[in-house]
Amino acid sequence: MKKKILAYLLILFPIFSLGLVKADTEKTKYVIASDSSFAPFVFQDSSNQYTGIDMDLIKAIAEDQGFEIEITNPGFDAAINAVQSGQADGIIAGMSVTDARKETFDFSDSYYTANTILGVKESSTISSYEDLNGKTVGVKNGTASQTFLNENQSKYGYKIKTFSDAASMYDSLNTGSIDAVMDDEPVIKYSISQGQKLKTPIAGTPIGETAFAVKKGSNPELLEKFNKGLANLKANGEFQKILDKYLASDSTTTTSTADETTIWGLLKNNYKQLLNGLGITLALALVSFAIAIFIGIIFGMFSVSPYKSLRLISEIFVDVIRGIPLMILAAFIFWGIPNFIESLTGQQSPINDFVAGTIALSLNSAAYIAEIVRGGIKAVPVGQMEASRSLGISYGKTMRKIVLPQATKLMLPNFVNQFVIALKDTTIVSAIGLVELFQTGKIIIARNYQSFKMYAILAVFYLVIITLLTRLAKRLEKRIQ
Ligand code: ASN
């Protein structure tokens, strides 16, 4: 009997493990990363849904080939990073096929051909590359346009300013802090057709074909499905329909919404999105602060411990975390570590952006809280500890009954302060593509260019929420005191 069971297991195991391997290599759901604003390829429509040639195309291909997709729109640079670190399986973002990119990406068949082109304000006198001497040209980080600018910088003598998203780039052009932008021709031409007061004085330069991409060597079946689906859509006319929907001169799809020129209009159209962003911001701040208090108190206690080794551990923790900018810490956790694990194990191990953001914020606040705890305990005169110990009371008991109650009162205002800082720091974490309140605002601006009003709305949101929370914390503080 036992032998029989063993034989079954021996036969079933390879079949079972084959099944596992298959499940691992051939997913049924893929995460696709894209730009946050790159009309007509990808942009938000009036109901805040992502739309555009790329969005329609990938959805149509997924349907044609029978796989599910989840789309994220963190911006071009972040989307590239997401694919490289295994956070996403593929990228579709009007992405140009370049030789340099072929080293790290596998590309699908092309579905468009684009030039890069210079855009200037309508009133600008720039009419050739030579006119750019001494001027500043804006470009999105990680793009083919950036490569073009880098390669020609010494020839024409311009300065380059890189941006993480289109909204801030076009805003800077509008407000005059840069003199020109370099972006894909269909994108600039589309924004002009939507009423942007820009012009393109110089003919575009080819930067290559536009295609879908996966990380080199991974998800080959996704690439194959994309190519098959694209061929089918081209054959049945669907692809042309998608192009016409966004590019034909009588196209009705627009990026601008009815009334987004007033504060009231902006709030009315976007309040759901803003409240969502606010929810994420609050969740980030509260969850990370709760974890930070826990870790911070532990390291704070370590720092006043009679044991040298504990004091050393605490010192190293505080020095390391305080010495690394929060944005780098978040990028390291979100992109760096999964990339490193993959290089070791060959397995993609993406981490969720909210989790990565929470870890970064928790560690950051914990380092400062550890210092607050140390300061609070140190502020209680040493004589009290000595007197208590000489009476034969243990270190732990003296800490708990005599030192900590006094220290806590001293620490409380600093805790409130640290919480406000943590809440504001959530905006920094948006760099990894997390759509909290600030990122939500930037996405809205990318659609309507109302930066003055939108940033004012964001500022008021933060002001109100921080004032309310500090009032509440002050009350709690009084009660404890
Ligand atoms: N065409 C750009 C590039 O490939 C893509 C983008 O900006 N979304 O670099």
Side-chain angles (χ1 to χ4, degrees):
M1 184 64 185
K2 263 188 191 163
K3 269 189 190 158
K4 217 175 176 185
I5 294 176
L6 205 68
Y8 272 127
L9 282 178
L10 277 177
I11 295 168
L12 285 177
F13 181 69
I15 297 175
F16 180 64
S17 46
L18 260 184
L20 278 185
V21 170
K22 190 157 184 290
D24 193 39
T25 50
E26 201 150 300
K27 302 178 185 170
T28 51
K29 187 169 187 177
Y30 293 97
V31 178
I32 308 292
S34 188
D35 209 333
S36 51
S37 160
F38 200 57
F41 294 99
V42 42
F43 59 96
Q44 283 198 325
D45 65 12
S46 48
S47 48
N48 296 333
Q49 297 298 316
Y50 276 102
T51 177
I53 297 172
D54 285 4
M55 298 295 97
D56 285 9
L57 182 60
I58 190 74
K59 283 179 198 156
I61 288 178
E63 199 182 317
D64 184 79
Q65 294 293 305
F67 60 87
E68 273 182 67
I69 48 170
E70 183 193 323
I71 302 178
T72 62
N73 297 76
F76 187 70
D77 194 24
I80 288 225
N81 276 319
V83 174
Q84 284 304 332
S85 58
Q87 313 283 0
D89 301 301
I91 168 169
I92 186 158
M95 184 171 176
S96 316
V97 184
T98 63
D99 286 339
R101 284 180 182 160
K102 280 188 195 155
E103 306 273 320
T104 44
F105 289 98
D106 288 329
F107 285 97
S108 72
D109 295 338
S110 122
Y111 60 87
Y112 204 81
T113 313
N115 290 336
T116 181
I117 201 167
L118 195 82
V120 295
K121 275 204 204 175
E122 252 176 14
S123 54
S124 169
T125 52
I126 294 169
S127 62
S128 67
Y129 285 126
E130 282 74 18
D131 291 343
L132 289 175
N133 196 352
K135 299 251 160 41
T136 305
V137 188
V139 71
K140 259 165 35 189
N141 198 23
T143 58
S145 302
Q146 186 188 26
T147 313
F148 173 87
L149 283 182
N150 285 340
E151 281 167 358
N152 292 286
Q153 187 172 22
S154 54
K155 192 160 150 202
Y156 298 117
Y158 45 73
K159 291 183 220 96
I160 301 173
K161 184 150 189 213
T162 45
F163 294 87
S164 62
D165 61 289
S168 38
M169 178 171 83
Y170 283 94
D171 254 353
S172 301
L173 182 66
N174 286 332
T175 52
S177 67
I178 55 175
D179 307 286
V181 296
M182 197 89 196
D183 207 350
D184 287 23
E185 185 162 350
V187 175
I188 295 197
K189 294 254 161 95
Y190 188 82
S191 70
I192 293 173
S193 78
Q194 298 295 309
Q196 275 295 302
K197 305 227 169 318
L198 301 180
K199 62 181 181 187
T200 52
I202 312 165
T205 310
I207 40 168
E209 299 295 316
T210 303
F212 169 76
V214 294
K215 183 177 176 177
K216 200 170 180 66
S218 60
N219 298 309
E221 79 292 346
L222 176 59
L223 212 53
E224 209 172 290
K225 285 179 195 165
F226 187 94
N227 285 339
K228 273 193 200 150
L230 181 63
N232 288 347
L233 296 180
K234 278 185 176 165
N236 66 19
E238 276 301 313
F239 179 66
Q240 193 55 46
K241 268 194 210 154
I242 294 177
L243 289 185
D244 290 347
K245 180 171 161 197
Y246 297 97
L247 297 177
S249 48
D250 58 351
S251 151
T252 49
T253 31
T254 57
T255 51
S256 49
T257 39
D259 172 34
E260 289 208 325
T261 50
T262 61
I263 295 229
W264 172 241
L266 280 168
L267 283 172
K268 208 173 97 194
N269 275 339
N270 303 299
Y271 74 94
K272 272 195 200 139
Q273 227 183 340
L274 287 169
L275 288 180
N276 253 339
L278 179 64
I280 307 267
T281 290
L282 285 176
L284 258 180
L286 290 169
V287 175
S288 67
F289 199 68
I291 300 173
I293 289 216
F294 184 71
I295 307 176
I297 288 180
I298 294 179
F299 281 104
M301 299 300 289
F302 278 9
S303 70
V304 293
S305 151
Y307 301 107
K308 198 169 172 215
S309 53
L310 292 183
R311 290 201 304 270
L312 192 69
I313 292 176
S314 163
E315 208 173 300
I316 294 175
F317 171 76
V318 172
D319 281 352
V320 169
I321 300 293
R322 264 199 326 201
I324 302 174
L326 177 58
M327 198 190 268
I328 294 183
L329 190 63
F332 185 73
I333 295 170
F334 187 62
W335 290 310
I337 293 180
N339 185 277
F340 177 66
I341 295 178
E342 197 191 346
S343 67
L344 286 185
T345 63
Q347 285 284 327
Q348 293 197 332
S349 45
I351 176 170
N352 170 284
D353 53 6
F354 184 84
V355 176
T358 306
I359 297 176
L361 279 167
S362 306
L363 289 175
N364 189 63
S365 300
Y368 290 96
I369 289 176
E371 284 296 275
I372 295 174
V373 171
R374 188 175 68 93
I377 294 175
K378 283 263 153 84
V380 178
V382 248
Q384 299 201 13
M385 174 62 96
E386 287 166 2
S388 168
R389 296 302 305 270
S390 68
L391 290 175
I393 303 171
S394 72
Y395 175 83
K397 200 166 183 192
T398 311
M399 249 314 165
R400 261 182 292 126
K401 297 270 162 156
I402 298 168
V403 181
L404 281 182
Q406 300 177 65
T408 312
K409 283 185 189 162
L410 297 169
M411 291 174 209
L412 278 178
N414 293 328
F415 277 161
V416 175
N417 214 10
Q418 188 56 41
F419 178 70
V420 171
I421 294 174
L423 202 141
K424 291 194 202 171
D425 278 354
T426 54
T427 53
I428 297 178
V429 173
S430 70
I432 59 173
L434 186 61
V435 189
E436 38 62 82
L437 186 56
F438 177 49
Q439 183 83 339
T440 305
K442 288 211 292 188
I443 292 171
I444 296 170
I445 294 171
R447 194 181 61 227
N448 56 31
Y449 300 102
Q450 297 293 331
S451 54
F452 176 71
K453 288 169 194 138
M454 204 55 231
Y455 284 132
I457 291 176
L458 288 187
V460 172
F461 258 76
Y462 281 105
L463 187 65
V464 170
I465 227 63
I466 287 173
T467 314
L468 284 178
L469 285 172
T470 30
R471 285 276 145 83
L472 190 77
K474 286 255 161 70
R475 268 207 196 162
L476 278 177
E477 192 187 313
K478 257 197 200 141
R479 220 187 260 177
I480 296 173
Q481 301 269 10

